[in-house]
Amino acid sequence: MRVWHKLATIGIALALATTSLLFVPVTPLYSTPSRQAENAPRRRVLYINSYHRGYKFSDDITQGIEAVLKEPGQNVDLLVEYMDTKRLDSPEYMEELYQLYKVKYGTLKPDLVISSDDAALNFLFQYANELFPDVPVVFSGANYFDVTRLAGFPNFTGVSEIADAQGTLDLALALHPQTRQIVVVNDTSVTGQRVHERLSTLQASYPEITFIYLEDISMDNLRQQLNQLSSDSLVLLTIFFRDNAGGFFEYDVFTPLVSESSTVPVYGLWDFSLGYGIVGGKLTSGATEGARAAQLAVRILNGESPQDIPVVQEPAARYMFDYEQLQRWNIAESALPGDSFVLNKPFSFFEQYAQLVWIVGASFLVLATAITILVFNILRRRRAEVQLNQSLSELQESRVLLEERVEERTEALRQRAALLEAAAEVSRTTTEIVDLEVLLPTVVDLVQQRFDLYYVGLFLLDESGELAVLRAGTGEAGHEMMAQGWELRVGGQSMIGRCVATGKADIQLDVGEASVRFDNPHLPETRSEMALPLRVRGEIIGAMTIQSHRVAAFEQDDIRTMQTVADQIAAVISNARLFTQVQEGLAAERRAYGDLTHAAWQQLLQSAPNLGYLSDRRATRPAGNVWRPEMQSALDTGKIVAGESGAALAIPLRVREQVVGVIDGRKKDGTAWLPEEITLLQSLVDQLNVAVESARLYEESQRRAMRERLVAEVSGRLRASRDVEAVLQATIRELGQVLGATATIRMTPLSADEPVASASAGSASAPNASPLYPTAL
């Protein structure tokens, strides 16, 4: 039998050698590693797992190790060996594993070895110096490790797996204060023995509690005893992989069997039993233990000595619970520690999104209430759903209504902006036009186009103020009415007549319902109409009619905007009229001044008919009778005239648009005048025009000043005389001297019997003079 057993052991070992060796290249998970990571040497790490693939706790340890070693920059190749000691753990099997590893890793030497659980650690204590001399070893999952075992193994360090049995017991007793008996379900494996030792040391801390150990027992017997427990008992399940009948049970098998058989709550120490029937406890996680061991391995690979890294003795357990078991044993979730993890807990929208619910506000209050009720009372779920749907429906209706209001307001603002823009354009365009005949048609066309109207017409009062005359209208109807001389009586039955008479806007949103309105045959499609007064400085000068083919086409904003446009149009019309009046006055002044200037030059030229000068190589002298054909042509046409050969050029002299003379130029070499020479000569002639007019005005002012001075001197001498005869003689004498002619003064007596005195310039007065009154000069 020993031979057959040995052969079977060797066969299994060989099978493990071919199937259980995993090569896991651990490389950074990013696509462009740094140059330092690319150049760093790769390290080989051997991980020896005490158990087999599929055993949850050791798989969790493997997961934790890989998570750390896969971090960027580690450059680690991970080799995994499974010892499968849950099924085989004889000394012969261990010897065969030693021989197998010796062959496999004789040349494939690892840089570091990681072990999990006690079986692998014990194997390394026995064979590490032969298999892996001077190779650092990091262990994990070593239950309640005794550091004295490291004597003689300086390359060993790791994490002591300490299940927090006391934390679980304290919690269980707090949740079940009536408990008087703790039943411990445990196996006799190496791990089970360590747990038993730990619990034995804790018993003294619970003097009122009786501890019963169900260990070396068959599964059937175990289930029988669990089914007979009293209500003041609790079950503490550690591990039970093997019973005394040789049966092997995975965690997902023995945990449900124990939980289903027990009449009281079952608590545990490791998280692999969570979800399979235990209530929970302060549980140790394989992933956490593996990650802690891998972190120590990284430190050693980075250069630290294992001797400088003490064994980690602190537990890393966490409160974990199964929601379904809490409900089964009526344990309130509020009684659990605050940082507890609850498995299989139903999803709670309120707890998950509480902050969002409060931010949304009161409109979601019904929904939050329904979710809370759903968590605590499943029977009221349907009613809560109805309330939720109703709230969502109301919210949707409110949102749609709000969107409609926003859209309406936005459209109103858009229309208002368009109206203001159109009004600004009308104002900007019309202010640039000063001709009334051009202005009025432009105004009505702009208003019709920019405000999308059916018809726009502009009426102005006639001189009598009794008729409003159509001065501009849009479309064919406007042209026809203009051709007919369309006019409406002020104060009559028409809207325009009433508007001009009252000075107020007349608005009909539906002309079909108007009691009084003039029905215009030229505009049959009119449905809405406004008549707006044209007012300037308090005076009504006319009215503007605005018509649409839509009923109720005008709103308050439209009416205000149109009245503003009408006021602007009235101001523009008034300015155009004033501009026309000013232009006419200026034209009259220019004509009057031109006539005066023309008469003055006529008088001057008549007094000097041969006024003119000629300049040649010899001298400058009077022109005499020189008058060439091109000079006559320039005088007649008022334009520059060239002679036949082009060498002669006649340029008219102008004063106030009156041609008063001609300059005739001839080039000495007989060549034609160039354009730039003509331009220069014209510029000189323009200056001459100003100069001769200035000289004439100066002479005229001098003559006027001389006359005024002579009048003043004569008046002074006359005032110096004291009697009538002396005054008369002085007067006739001064007139004769000033005028250079003979002057006579005769006096008419007051009656026919009185003599008449007379005096002549240069003669003495009559001897029988008497007071006389002058009759003629």
Side-chain angles (χ1 to χ4, degrees), residues 421-740:
E421 182 179 356
E425 182 178 359
V426 170
S427 175
R428 182 172 58 254
T429 303
T430 54
T431 52
E432 298 173 354
I433 303 174
V434 296
D435 187 347
L436 200 61
E437 299 303 321
V438 177
L439 173 65
L440 299 181
T442 303
V443 166
V444 294
D445 289 340
L446 269 176
V447 173
Q448 181 196 32
Q449 294 170 7
R450 296 298 179 265
F451 294 95
D452 190 21
L453 298 169
Y454 171 52
Y455 174 77
V456 177
L458 203 59
F459 289 83
L460 297 179
L461 288 176
D462 63 357
E463 295 180 356
S464 66
E466 297 180 355
L467 294 175
V469 182
L470 179 65
R471 296 293 303 275
T474 58
E476 187 64 28
H479 294 311
E480 292 179 0
M481 288 187 286
M482 288 282 294
Q484 295 175 8
W486 198 265
E487 56 187 26
L488 298 172
R489 183 165 297 282
V490 176
Q493 297 299 316
S494 67
M495 293 176 63
I496 291 293
R498 292 197 302 272
C499 173
V500 174
T502 62
K504 298 179 180 179
D506 195 346
I507 302 169
Q508 293 293 339
L509 297 180
D510 187 352
V511 298
E513 297 180 357
S515 57
V516 178
R517 178 183 177 271
F518 175 74
D519 190 9
N520 191 336
H522 296 282
L523 301 170
E525 298 182 16
T526 298
R527 295 296 178 268
S528 302
E529 183 177 357
M530 284 194 297
L532 303 175
L534 300 179
R535 181 184 289 104
V536 179
R537 293 179 290 276
E539 178 185 359
I540 303 299
I541 64 173
M544 181 169 65
T545 177
I546 297 174
Q547 303 181 24
S548 174
H549 55 70
R550 294 181 290 111
V551 175
F554 307 119
E555 299 181 356
Q556 288 300 319
D557 288 342
D558 301 326
I559 297 171
R560 286 192 293 268
T561 302
M562 291 298 182
Q563 184 60 64
T564 301
V565 172
D567 294 341
Q568 293 174 347
I569 293 173
V572 171
I573 292 173
S574 176
N575 292 337
R577 285 177 169 177
L578 292 175
F579 180 80
T580 301
Q581 294 173 2
V582 169
Q583 289 295 102
E584 291 175 352
L586 289 175
E589 290 180 2
R590 290 194 192 99
R591 288 193 299 271
Y593 190 74
D595 293 342
L596 292 175
T597 302
H598 179 73
W601 275 99
Q602 285 291 99
Q603 182 179 357
L604 175 64
L605 295 177
Q606 287 175 1
S607 63
N610 293 321
L611 180 62
Y613 293 91
L614 183 147
S615 177
D616 55 16
R617 296 178 182 178
R618 290 173 293 176
T620 299
R621 59 187 183 279
N625 295 323
V626 176
W627 195 257
R628 298 186 179 94
E630 65 270 12
M631 297 175 65
Q632 185 63 45
S633 179
L635 181 66
D636 295 338
T637 62
K639 298 180 181 179
I640 298 175
V641 178
E644 295 181 359
S645 62
L649 189 70
I651 302 176
L653 295 177
R654 292 178 176 274
V655 176
R656 300 290 179 179
E657 302 302 324
Q658 301 289 331
V659 178
V660 298
V662 178
I663 288 182
D664 184 69
R666 291 175 177 270
K667 298 185 73 173
K668 297 177 181 180
D669 56 3
T671 59
W673 291 87
L674 298 177
E676 56 269 20
E677 293 174 332
I678 298 175
T679 301
L680 176 60
L681 192 57
Q682 180 64 60
S683 298
L684 294 174
V685 170
D686 291 341
Q687 297 298 322
L688 179 60
N689 294 336
V690 177
V692 296
E693 174 65 6
S694 299
R696 184 194 65 78
L697 292 174
Y698 178 76
E699 290 181 359
E700 183 178 342
S701 63
Q702 289 296 101
R703 289 194 298 273
R704 185 180 296 110
M706 182 182 299
R707 288 196 299 270
E708 291 176 356
R709 180 173 54 81
L710 291 174
V711 170
E713 291 177 356
V714 172
S715 298
R717 295 190 189 99
L718 294 178
R719 284 195 295 271
S721 300
R722 294 294 182 266
D723 57 75
V724 174
E725 291 187 1
V727 169
L728 293 176
Q729 293 177 8
T731 299
I732 203 66
R733 183 172 59 251
E734 293 296 335
L735 289 175
Q737 293 177 357
V738 171
L739 298 177

Side-chain angles (χ1 to χ4, degrees), residues 127-292:
Y127 297 109
N129 289 334
E130 299 177 15
L131 291 173
F132 314 111
D134 299 326
V135 175
V137 175
V138 177
F139 57 83
S140 67
N143 293 280
Y144 306 99
F145 181 77
D146 183 2
V147 294
T148 60
R149 298 178 66 191
L150 295 180
F153 297 94
N155 291 330
F156 279 58
T157 188
V159 180
S160 175
E161 181 183 326
I162 300 177
D164 196 350
Q166 185 172 6
T168 299
L169 290 174
D170 290 344
L171 174 67
L173 293 175
L175 295 176
H176 308 279
Q178 78 284 0
T179 302
R180 294 294 177 267
Q181 177 177 273
I182 299 293
V183 178
V184 180
V185 178
N186 189 35
D187 64 11
T188 57
S189 63
V190 175
T191 303
Q193 294 172 20
R194 297 286 187 274
V195 174
H196 186 102
E197 293 171 0
R198 175 62 178 167
L199 290 174
S200 296
T201 61
L202 291 175
Q203 288 184 214
S205 301
Y206 307 96
E208 298 179 357
I209 304 299
T210 301
F211 285 81
I212 299 176
Y213 293 89
L214 301 179
E215 295 177 328
D216 192 9
I217 189 173
S218 68
M219 178 61 76
D220 292 338
N221 191 5
L222 173 65
R223 297 184 65 185
Q224 265 185 343
Q225 294 194 40
L226 292 176
N227 196 34
Q228 297 173 2
L229 295 176
S230 60
S231 60
D232 62 350
S233 302
L234 288 178
V235 174
L236 179 61
L237 174 62
T238 60
I239 54 175
F240 199 82
F241 290 102
R242 186 178 299 163
D243 63 2
N244 63 358
F248 177 79
F249 307 94
E250 287 283 5
Y251 67 93
D252 56 350
V253 175
F254 71 75
T255 303
L257 291 175
V258 171
S259 176
E260 293 170 1
S261 303
S262 176
T263 59
V264 294
V266 180
Y267 287 83
L269 299 181
W270 281 275
D271 67 344
F272 53 70
S273 293
L274 189 66
Y276 292 95
I278 67 170
V279 174
K282 198 166 186 182
L283 308 183
T284 299
S285 168
T288 303
E289 297 300 306
R292 294 205 293 174

Side-chain angles (χ1 to χ4, degrees), residues 25-33 66-75:
V26 183
T27 57
L29 298 180
Y30 49 89
S31 60
T32 56
E66 290 180 349
V68 173
L69 297 184
K70 285 182 179 180
E71 293 179 356
Q74 298 300 340
N75 288 340

